[in-house]
């Protein structure tokens, strides 16, 4: 088969390195695959892969940077399992890079944008990241001290990403966060129908408006509750990430907040923006990994 590249491994592999599928085929385990990929892809791409393996989404195998993403699936492994395997295996050339990458990977990414943002904030500055890790993904934060919070109020909140530099974080609001497309469809349907069907469509439209308004109200409550609990969480949108240097601008705002509210010296991190070469290369790396972006790096250079 022209699409298959054969490899011979003469090293002894830990138990569970190869998984039995059926009488015709086996497949390497996620842990062995992670180490094997460390031999052929860049460190940022390997960290991004680690977030996928330890998260609840899957990229398209033949087009990981630009293909569709499957969400809401169980994680195939964890950082702990990958670490145990890397500590046990010997003789594979990808071990050193795999061990390095695991320093920047965390469990529980629920979406590809979360995994990408976590990659950028975990990677050190000299690897074209922001160096603000380690990050924690979807951490449960207690925001209501009462045993029984008010009706309709949440007892816990789950910031998408909490940074290691200070109690600050990021919530990613994608296109589907507020269902504007569903609202437009409901308006068009209510205008097109007649009679009882029109009345039903108008009721559905009113419900759609209420649900969108409730979502906006809940987002505002979430932000206030997190602030009261001692966390400042910045919302970021798809449009922010698609803008030139949009993530840089958000990070500068985060650093100003960290410096002003928590008294932390951010001089080291500000070097990520002072160096024009680093800024340019970081932008190229981000665009190569950001699905709606414009890739300046070839797939060979990244993957």
């Amino acid at each position: 088969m022209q699409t298959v590249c054969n490899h011979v491994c003469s090293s002894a592999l830990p138990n569970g390195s190869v998984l039995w599928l059926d009488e015709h085929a086996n497949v390497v385990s996620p842990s062995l695959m992670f180490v094997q990929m460390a031999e052929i892809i860049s460190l940022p791409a390997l960290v991004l892969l680690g977030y996928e393996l330890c998260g609840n989404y899957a990229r398209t195998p033949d087009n990981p940077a630009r293909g569709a993403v499957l969400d809401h699936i169980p994680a195939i492994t964890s950082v702990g399992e990958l670490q145990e395997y890397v500590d046990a295996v010997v003789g594979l050339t990808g071990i050193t890079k795999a061990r390095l990458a695991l320093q920047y990977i965390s469990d529980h990414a629920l979406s590809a944008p979360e995994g990408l943002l976590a990659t950028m904030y975990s990677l050190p500055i000299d690897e074209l990241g922001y160096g603000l890790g380690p990050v924690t993904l979807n951490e449960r934060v207690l925001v209501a001290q009462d045993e029984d919070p008010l009706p309709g109020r949440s007892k816990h909140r789950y910031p998408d990403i909490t940074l290691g530099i200070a109690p600050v974080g990021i919530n990613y609001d994608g296109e589907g966060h507020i269902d504007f497309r569903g609202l437009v469809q409901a308006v068009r349907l209510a205008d097109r129908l007649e009679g009882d069907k029109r009345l039903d469509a108008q009721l559905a439209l009113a419900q759609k408006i209420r649900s969108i308004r409730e979502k906006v109200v809940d987002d505002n409550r979430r932000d206030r509750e997190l602030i009261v609990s001692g966390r400042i969480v910045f919302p970021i949108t798809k449009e922010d990430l698609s803008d030139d240097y949009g993530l840089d601008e958000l990070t500068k705002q985060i650093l100003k907040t960290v410096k002003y509210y928590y008294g932390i010296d951010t001089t080291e991190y500000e070097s990520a923006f002072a160096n024009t070469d680093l800024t340019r290369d970081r932008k190229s790396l981000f665009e190569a990994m950001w699905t709606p972006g414009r890739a300046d790096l070839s797939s060979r250079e990244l993957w």
Side-chain angles (χ1 to χ4, degrees):
M1 297 176 62
Q2 294 181 353
T3 57
V4 172
C5 179
N6 292 306
H7 298 268
V8 176
C9 179
S10 59
S11 302
L13 297 175
N15 290 334
S17 295
V18 179
L19 307 178
W20 184 87
L21 294 181
D22 56 30
E23 61 273 16
H24 302 292
N26 297 327
V27 63
V28 299
S29 69
S31 297
L32 177 54
M33 185 267 286
F34 181 75
V35 176
Q36 289 178 321
M37 293 301 291
E39 301 178 14
I40 59 175
I41 62 177
S42 67
L43 179 65
L46 186 64
V47 172
L48 194 67
L49 173 63
Y51 277 104
E52 178 183 353
L53 294 175
C54 302
N56 298 99
Y57 64 94
R59 294 175 176 269
T60 302
D62 59 349
N63 189 10
R66 295 291 176 266
V69 177
L70 178 64
D71 292 317
H72 310 298
I73 62 172
I76 197 172
T77 187
S78 67
V79 173
E81 291 178 358
L82 292 177
Q83 188 66 63
E84 288 181 7
Y85 189 85
V86 168
D87 291 341
V89 72
V90 294
L92 298 183
T93 57
I95 285 296
T96 300
K97 190 190 292 183
R99 186 174 290 111
L100 176 61
L102 284 171
Q103 299 179 32
Y104 311 119
I105 301 171
S106 301
D107 294 320
H108 309 309
L110 299 183
S111 67
E114 287 184 19
L116 172 55
L117 289 170
T119 296
M120 294 301 297
Y121 282 106
S122 298
L123 284 171
I125 294 172
D126 59 359
E127 290 291 347
L128 305 182
Y130 296 108
L132 300 182
V135 304
T136 304
L137 296 160
N138 296 290
E139 177 186 11
R140 186 170 76 166
V141 178
L142 179 67
V143 295
Q145 300 299 327
D146 300 332
E147 286 295 328
D148 297 314
L150 294 173
R153 305 296 176 89
S154 299
K155 188 172 183 178
H156 298 93
R157 294 294 188 176
Y158 301 83
D160 292 345
I161 299 173
T162 302
L163 303 178
I165 187 175
V168 298
I170 299 169
N171 274 323
Y172 174 74
D173 296 341
E175 280 186 309
H177 185 70
I178 302 294
D179 188 16
F180 290 116
R181 291 185 179 180
L183 177 61
V184 171
Q185 292 173 354
V187 170
R188 290 176 175 172
L189 186 63
D191 287 341
R192 187 173 69 247
L193 299 178
E194 297 179 354
D196 292 341
K197 291 183 178 180
R198 180 183 179 88
L199 178 59
D200 291 341
Q202 288 175 335
L203 293 174
L205 172 59
Q207 177 58 41
K208 174 61 71 175
I209 293 173
R210 283 195 298 272
S211 67
I212 288 178
R213 182 60 184 169
E214 289 171 357
K215 181 61 178 172
V216 172
V217 170
D218 185 65
D219 285 349
N220 289 333
R221 286 176 178 165
R222 173 202 65 193
D223 295 342
R224 293 198 306 267
E225 290 165 355
L226 286 169
I227 289 174
V228 171
S229 70
R231 314 234 177 170
I232 299 176
V233 178
F234 291 76
I236 187 171
T237 66
K238 174 184 174 182
E239 288 73 17
D240 290 322
L241 298 184
S242 298
D243 284 347
D244 284 346
Y245 302 104
L247 191 56
D248 275 6
E249 290 304 313
L250 172 70
T251 307
K252 290 177 183 178
Q253 293 172 348
I254 291 174
L255 291 175
K256 289 180 180 178
T257 301
V258 166
K259 185 176 183 177
Y260 181 79
Y261 287 98
Y262 301 103
I264 296 175
D265 183 5
T266 59
T267 304
E268 174 188 356
Y269 308 103
E270 291 168 1
S271 65
F273 313 107
N275 186 314
T276 56
D277 290 337
L278 277 176
T279 299
R280 181 198 62 237
D281 293 344
R282 184 175 57 253
K283 178 176 181 289
S284 296
L285 172 66
F286 178 77
E287 290 179 345
M289 296 192 295
W290 172 236
T291 301
R294 304 175 301 279
D296 290 337
L297 295 178
S298 71
S299 58
R300 175 176 297 180
E301 287 174 309
L302 176 65
W303 302 102

